[in-house]
Amino acid sequence: MNEIRISKSKLYFTFFLILILAVVLVYFYVYQPNQVRKEEIEEYKKSVYESIFCQYSCPIVEVDVLNQTNLLPDVSCTKVCTENLKAKNISLTHFSEEDVLDDNLFIDIDAVIRNCKQNNYNSETEELNYTSFFSCSAKEIESLKESYSYLS
């Protein structure tokens, strides 16, 4: 009978080569695409964050709304903020809601804005101090950079 003899060293080498090939395939077909997607999602969230921060940082001007004068962010400034976001051609439809909400960034943004609104609302006069509200919101939104490394 013809026997095929393979030395242990050749067998170990073949096994090692297959193992290395498997690791390389996993890297290129699983890990790297996931990393690229993660970076795209973080870039999207950073762009939205910057737009929101920009809008809350706009100068406050008097605006007539329904025969009432309010202090609100300058419309031309907020328009520039949103146009800058649109210019990046980043679409929310490219990501699932689960992808975008994988951390608490947008929840935290909402919470700091609500907190600033609550702190600057006078329940006696039922009026919001818009100047303080927008200033507070911009400051608190900016402070979120410390909690999310991808915002830096």
Side-chain angles (χ1 to χ4, degrees):
M1 262 200 262
N2 293 345
E3 287 184 17
I4 299 176
R5 292 186 178 233
I6 300 174
S7 68
K8 284 186 179 181
S9 63
K10 287 184 179 179
L11 186 61
Y12 289 142
F13 177 76
T14 304
F15 177 72
F16 182 72
L17 194 59
I18 291 171
L19 183 64
I20 294 296
L21 182 61
V23 168
V24 168
L25 289 173
V26 166
Y27 174 79
F28 282 109
Y29 289 102
V30 177
Y31 179 76
Q32 189 178 27
N34 287 345
Q35 279 301 107
V36 168
R37 181 142 180 92
K38 180 181 176 193
E39 289 170 8
E40 289 173 345
I41 292 166
E42 288 178 351
E43 184 60 34
Y44 168 79
K45 291 193 286 189
K46 181 179 180 181
S47 296
V48 172
Y49 166 87
E50 288 171 346
S51 179
I52 293 169
F53 175 69
C54 176
Q55 292 174 60
Y56 277 89
S57 300
C58 286
I60 305 300
V61 295
E62 288 185 354
V63 178
D64 289 324
V65 179
L66 300 172
N67 295 326
Q68 224 180 4
T69 301
N70 289 317
L71 294 170
L72 299 172
D74 180 55
V75 174
S76 60
C77 176
T78 58
K79 185 175 181 179
V80 168
C81 298
T82 56
E83 291 299 322
N84 287 341
L85 179 62
K86 288 178 186 176
K88 293 182 180 183
N89 290 328
I90 300 175
S91 171
L92 178 57
T93 59
H94 185 68
F95 308 112
S96 70
E97 187 174 328
E98 184 180 282
D99 288 337
V100 175
L101 299 176
D102 69 336
D103 62 19
N104 290 334
L105 175 64
F106 295 122
I107 294 167
D108 289 345
I109 290 172
D110 182 60
V112 298
I113 292 170
R114 286 177 187 265
N115 188 44
C116 287
K117 187 173 186 176
Q118 182 180 359
N119 291 340
N120 290 286
Y121 181 75
N122 184 332
S123 57
E124 292 174 13
T125 63
E126 296 184 353
E127 290 183 356
L128 180 66
N129 181 334
Y130 289 99
T131 305
S132 296
F133 164 68
F134 285 105
S135 174
C136 170
S137 295
K139 180 180 159 216
E140 293 300 317
I141 290 169
E142 184 175 35
S143 74
L144 292 175
K145 279 186 176 183
E146 298 169 10
S147 302
Y148 299 93
S149 60
Y150 57 85
L151 296 177
S152 300

